[in-house]
């Protein structure tokens, strides 16, 4: 990453620390484009010897920007957290707010990310939007990772082959777009985006955007990797400053050291239980304390990856020797050298006496393994108490399937520790697992290395089935066998995944997915029972002896023989592909998979009047409820077709049913009928009738799923009123021109109630004050009044708040952020 001074020249830093940091970048060429990443070859003994896409960050330039920000926008001598250092060193210096004081949790930051990464499902819509931006190439290094569209059905190679056939049109589109705009393309089978980013692109102290919440694990390498929607990615790809609400910083102090059965996964499972799924909203989680030095790089990545499950903007760790070792092992010695120097200069850790908005302390030495779930990742139960929970809820004491790997826990260390338990079982006479046992490597490099080192053979002897290097069961691409009755019955699975929302994995709303570490999942698979505690319980062997597992032996987090790259077709693509403007991107007008986008209409300059309340959705309403995955993934590039799944998983209070809403489109005097959300929304759209929805807490949690904002907008939704929003989703709504509002008094949510379902008009809302906000006539904190009407009832006036910045007001006025980008081309 080369960060040029606005003048086009690098300037010397006079501070000793800055001079030390500059030494790491002296050999970098001045001819590289701004923020372009240099290319280095692996030189570390035992490392992979092929070209790597990432060179050392220009820490001197980062220091310079941070120094300027300290002088102009912060109180003198203010101690900074690591998160603040990284954010402020990426501030765009030429914006009108360049000298505005920065206050945590207040106002917006204009940032220049270093890189963008996109997975294949979300990349389709991001690229369709980027095409409308009319740019010849991406302004920052960008990569596409084909990991979501591969089914888990037969075997790894067969599943990849099937995916290539079934998704040829999509892969062709992505590859042609990559060639045209100079984007690195990772083909299906190469690996999961999280793991590929960690192995190839993550660099300490840098800032990255990833479509959906699919990059935060890179915080395990001391960077800020933030999940966004495709429209946010387009900002960075188009060279437009990316806007982020200045986050608060939650500090988590780690002391002690993990031992025995406890793993890094248990750290974040425990934290999820303490914070809940919305406890980290608008916060960056920053780990600090002596316990950080005891964790492996991939262990820290696991912890950061699941920070998304508590709503955090992202998570990060201070630079440690484990990070340096991982960088060298993955062929990035030059990055490690630069980071070592920058760390000594104080850039890659918090200042002494840095202030956090709140602090949680965890003693790793006393932490117990956890199992979280079902149906939500924050229902945390210590392993010692999990049996009681099973008995109390009268769950069937059976684990049908045990799954390890995925984006969260597919490192070499994870696989080695799971294999240690499998070998213990084999040596003790247990034989194969009782539960079906599925294993997902995170990348081709991991797959090839564990195969070489005998880990794969050990897991396969225990009945482990190796899946492809892709998302598979975690994202709903699991072609689970069994009869129709079995596919609809209540059952339990145990996984090392990060999400476990209802119906997510196999489409069965009664499948309970419990989250645990790969070690716990593997050990419990040999019992096949939820009530089995591998720390204390025994299992009978064929010889009649009782067998008890020992804690998995500590293993090196890195392979002694180094990583092996695996098959040639999965080697890293060129480090900085040259764009080929002559490449044609073809989208058939009859395609059911891809559809060119049309700009949304701009705001009409008036108050929102007589907006139909389509439904009031109760309880958890995640992006899985708003835009389901699984079989719908094939329509990610076709907005009209995927809109057929809009809110089909949401429970409407007005009808007390899922995916059932009243249709008041028939006009005065006509009794309401009931239909599905997409059906009724389309009728309103055809009738030119605007509509909105009312939602509860943390609306839109889960994967970023920009489609969860695009689809309602496409169907005519102009406003959503909620008790609170998940961060990424709220931004996605604004980007697409949907006005998100929150109840000033959360209890007012209960006041919106359909009292007369037989009326011909239902509930309508109108705004008072929205025009003043969208015309920029009032301050950000100005409240809007919502007038709620229904036949035969007195009007209700409810106060609602907005969180629009000046730029975001421009998005709403223009109809979408993309409309503004296209207008500037």
């Amino acid at each position: 990453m080369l960060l040029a001074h606005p003048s086009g020249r690098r300037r010397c830093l006079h501070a000793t620390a800055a001079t030390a940091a500059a030494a790491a970048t002296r050999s970098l060429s001045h001819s590289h484009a701004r923020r372009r990443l240099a290319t280095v070859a692996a030189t570390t003994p035992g490392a992979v010897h092929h070209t790597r896409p990432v060179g050392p960050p220009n820490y001197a330039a980062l220091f310079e920007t941070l120094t300027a920000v300290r002088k102009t926008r912060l109180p003198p001598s203010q101690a900074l957290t690591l998160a603040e250092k990284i954010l402020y060193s990426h501030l765009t210096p030429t914006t009108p707010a360049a000298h505005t004081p920065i206050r945590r949790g207040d106002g917006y930051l204009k940032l220049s990310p270093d890189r963008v990464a996109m997975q294949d499902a979300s990349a389709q819509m991001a690229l369709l939007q980027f095409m409308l931006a009319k740019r010849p190439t991406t302004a920052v290094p960008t990569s596409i990772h084909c990991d979501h569209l591969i089914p888990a059905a037969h075997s790894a190679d067969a599943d990849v082959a099937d995916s290539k056939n079934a998704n040829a049109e999509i892969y062709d589109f992505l590859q042609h777009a990559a060639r045209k705009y100079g984007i690195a393309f990772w083909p299906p089978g190469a690996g999961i985006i999280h793991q590929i980013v960690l192995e190839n692109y993550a660099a300490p102290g840098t800032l990255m955007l990833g479509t959906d919440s699919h990059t935060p694990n890179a915080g395990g390498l001391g960077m800020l990797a933030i999940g966004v929607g495709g429209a946010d990615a387009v900002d960075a790809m188009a060279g437009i400053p990316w806007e982020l609400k200045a986050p608060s910083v939650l500090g988590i102090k780690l002391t002690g050291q993990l031992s025995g059965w406890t793993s890094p996964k248990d750290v974040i499972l425990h934290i999820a239980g303490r914070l809940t799924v919305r406890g980290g909203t608008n916060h960056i989680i920053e780990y600090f304390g002596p316990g950080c030095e005891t964790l492996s790089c991939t262990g820290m990545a696991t912890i950061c990856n699941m920070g998304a499950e508590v709503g955090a903007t992202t998570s990060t760790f201070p630079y440690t020797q484990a990070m340096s070792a991982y960088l060298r092992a993955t062929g990035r010695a030059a990055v490690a050298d630069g980071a070592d120097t920058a760390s000594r200069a104080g850039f890659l850790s918090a200042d002494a006496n840095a202030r956090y908005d709140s602090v949680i302390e965890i003693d790793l030495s006393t932490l117990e393994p956890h199992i979280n779930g079902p149906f939500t990742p924050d229902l945390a139960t210590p392993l010692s108490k999990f049996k009681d929970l099973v008995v109390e809820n009268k769950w069937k004491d059976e684990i049908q399937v045990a799954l390890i790997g995925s984006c969260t826990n597919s490192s070499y260390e994870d696989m080695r520790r799971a294999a240690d338990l499998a070998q213990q079982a084999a040596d003790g006479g247990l034989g194969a697992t009782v539960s079906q046992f599925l294993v997902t490597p995170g990348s081709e490099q991991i797959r090839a290395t564990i195969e070489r080192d005998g880990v794969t053979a050990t897991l396969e002897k225990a009945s482990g089935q190796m899946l492809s290097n892709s998302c598979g069961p975690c994202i709903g691409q699991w072609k689970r066998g069994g009869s129709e009755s079995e596919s609809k019955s209540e059952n339990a699975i145990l996984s090392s995944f990060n999400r476990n929302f209802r119906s997510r994995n196999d489409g069965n709303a009664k499948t309970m997915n419990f989250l645990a570490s790969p070690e716990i999942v593997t050990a419990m698979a040999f019992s096949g029972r939820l009530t089995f505690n591998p720390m204390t319980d025994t299992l009978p062997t064929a010889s009649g002896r009782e067998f008890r597992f020992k804690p998995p032996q500590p293993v090196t987090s890195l392979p002694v023989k180094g990583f092996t790259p695996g098959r040639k077709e999965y080697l890293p693509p060129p480090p900085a592909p040259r764009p080929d403007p002559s490449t044609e991107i073809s989208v058939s007008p009859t395609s059911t998979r891809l559809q060119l986008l049309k700009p949304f209409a701009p705001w009409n300059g008036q108050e929102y009047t007589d907006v139909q309340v389509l439904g009031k959705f109760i309880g958890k309403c995640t992006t899985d409820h708003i835009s389901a995955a699984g079989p719908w993934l094939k329509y990610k590039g076709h907005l009209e077709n995927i809109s057929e799944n809009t809110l089909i998983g949401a429970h409407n209070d007005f009808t007390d049913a899922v995916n059932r809403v009243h249709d008041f489109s028939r006009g005065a005097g006509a009794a309401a009928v009931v239909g599905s959300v997409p059906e009724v929304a389309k009728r309103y759209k055809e009738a030119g009738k605007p509509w909105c929805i009312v939602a509860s807490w943390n609306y839109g949690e889960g994967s970023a799923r920009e489609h969860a904002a695009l689809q309602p907008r496409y169907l005519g939704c102009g406003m959503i009123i909620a008790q609170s929003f998940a961060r990424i989703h709220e931004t996605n709504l604004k980007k697409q021109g949907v006005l998100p509002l929150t109840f000033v008094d959360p209890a007012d949510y209960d006041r919106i109630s359909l009292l007369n379902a037989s009326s011909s008009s239902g509930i309508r809302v109108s705004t008072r004050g929205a025009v003043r906000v969208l015309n920029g006539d009032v301050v950000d904190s100005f409240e809007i009044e919502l007038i709620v009407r229904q036949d035969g009832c007195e009007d209700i006036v409810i106060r609602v708040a907005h969180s629009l910045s000046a730029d975001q007001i421009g998005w709403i006025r223009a109809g979408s952020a993309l409309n503004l980008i296209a207008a500037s081309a």
Side-chain angles (χ1 to χ4, degrees), residues 353-381:
N353 302 318
R355 180 185 62 83
Y356 296 94
D357 293 281
S358 57
V359 173
I360 293 175
E361 295 193 24
I362 298 175
D363 181 356
L364 300 178
S365 302
T366 62
L367 188 66
E368 182 180 347
H370 280 61
I371 298 180
N372 287 27
F375 306 131
T376 183
D378 60 347
L379 182 57
T381 306

Side-chain angles (χ1 to χ4, degrees), residues 50 70 183 204 238 296 330 385 399 416 429 462 515 573 684 764 822:
H50 56 82
R70 284 184 185 271
I183 297 172
S296 67
T330 52
K385 298 180 181 179
I399 303 169
R416 278 289 305 272
L515 308 177
Y684 286 151
R764 293 92 59 211

Side-chain angles (χ1 to χ4, degrees), residues 373-667:
F375 306 131
T376 183
D378 60 347
L379 182 57
T381 306
L383 180 59
S384 62
K385 298 180 181 179
F386 188 69
K387 179 179 179 178
D388 295 336
L389 184 68
V390 174
V391 173
E392 177 185 342
N393 286 280
K394 298 180 181 179
W395 292 324
K396 185 178 181 181
D397 191 14
E398 178 186 49
I399 303 169
Q400 287 197 1
V401 190
L403 308 97
I404 65 170
S406 83
C407 64
T408 316
N409 284 104
S410 57
S411 68
Y412 182 81
E413 180 182 18
D414 289 326
M415 296 299 178
R416 278 289 305 272
R417 285 170 65 88
D420 177 86
L421 294 170
Q423 189 62 53
Q424 285 186 43
D427 294 343
L430 281 186
T433 60
V434 174
S435 307
Q436 184 183 7
F437 188 33
L438 303 180
V439 182
T440 303
S443 69
E444 173 62 14
Q445 179 170 274
I446 294 296
R447 185 210 63 79
T449 304
I450 64 174
E451 181 178 74
R452 180 201 64 194
D453 291 352
V455 173
T456 300
T458 301
L459 294 173
E460 288 180 336
K461 286 178 182 178
S463 78
Q465 178 185 349
M466 303 300 294
L467 302 179
S468 64
N469 313 318
S470 63
C471 301
C474 184
I475 192 60
Q477 288 288 71
W478 186 12
K479 309 301 181 184
R480 188 176 180 183
S483 65
E484 183 177 351
S485 61
E486 288 176 327
S487 67
K488 296 180 180 179
S489 62
E490 181 174 291
N491 71 101
I493 65 175
L494 198 61
S495 80
S496 66
F497 301 165
N498 55 344
R499 297 193 180 112
N500 58 348
F501 300 134
R502 194 182 295 273
S503 302
R504 179 180 177 88
N505 305 110
D506 59 3
N508 180 6
K510 294 183 178 180
T511 293
M512 300 183 293
N513 181 3
F514 296 94
L515 308 177
S517 69
E519 300 95 308
I520 295 298
V521 173
T522 302
M524 292 180 70
F526 282 95
S527 77
R529 293 184 287 110
L530 288 172
T531 56
F532 176 71
N533 183 343
M535 296 177 64
T536 59
D537 298 345
T538 62
L539 294 172
T541 65
S543 65
R545 294 186 302 108
E546 291 294 315
F547 169 82
R548 175 179 289 175
F549 283 106
K550 297 177 182 178
Q553 293 300 306
V555 297
T556 175
S557 62
L558 300 170
V560 175
K561 299 177 182 178
F563 287 106
T564 184
R567 290 168 283 191
K568 291 183 179 180
E569 63 265 34
Y570 297 133
L571 292 178
R578 289 182 178 274
D580 181 1
S582 66
T583 301
E584 293 187 6
I585 303 176
S586 177
V587 176
S588 170
T590 61
S591 172
T592 61
R593 301 289 302 275
L594 293 167
Q595 182 184 52
L596 295 176
L597 297 175
K598 295 180 181 179
F600 292 130
W603 174 56
N604 63 10
Q606 301 174 5
E607 296 286 349
Y608 295 74
T609 305
D610 268 344
V611 179
Q612 190 76 49
V613 178
L614 180 69
K616 174 187 174 183
F617 298 110
I618 59 178
K620 186 183 286 289
C621 198
T622 72
T623 48
D624 280 347
H625 295 86
I626 306 166
S627 176
W632 293 96
L633 283 175
K634 63 184 177 182
Y635 298 126
K636 283 286 189 177
H638 198 291
L639 184 53
E640 182 178 1
N641 284 347
I642 200 171
S643 292
E644 294 294 332
N645 77 357
T646 304
L647 287 160
I648 62 175
H651 190 136
N652 181 19
D653 182 54
F654 296 162
T655 59
D656 193 25
V658 173
N659 192 28
R660 306 302 288 169
V661 294
H662 293 102
D663 179 2
F664 297 103
S665 66
R666 304 172 69 192

Side-chain angles (χ1 to χ4, degrees), residues 718-782:
M719 179 169 55
I720 295 179
I721 309 107
Q723 288 175 307
S724 69
F725 292 92
R727 176 193 64 85
I728 299 176
H729 187 62
E730 183 176 23
T731 301
N732 285 346
L733 290 171
K734 296 173 183 176
K735 286 279 185 178
Q736 303 305 336
V738 179
L739 179 63
L741 299 171
T742 54
F743 295 100
V744 173
D745 180 357
D748 282 340
Y749 167 84
D750 297 317
R751 298 176 66 195
I752 300 180
S753 180
L754 186 61
L755 302 177
N756 183 14
S758 63
S759 79
S760 60
S761 55
I763 299 178
R764 293 92 59 211
V765 297
S766 300
T767 61
R768 188 158 54 210
V771 168
R772 294 182 64 195
V773 170
L774 296 180
N775 282 336
D777 297 335
V778 293
V779 297
D780 289 347
S781 60
F782 180 81

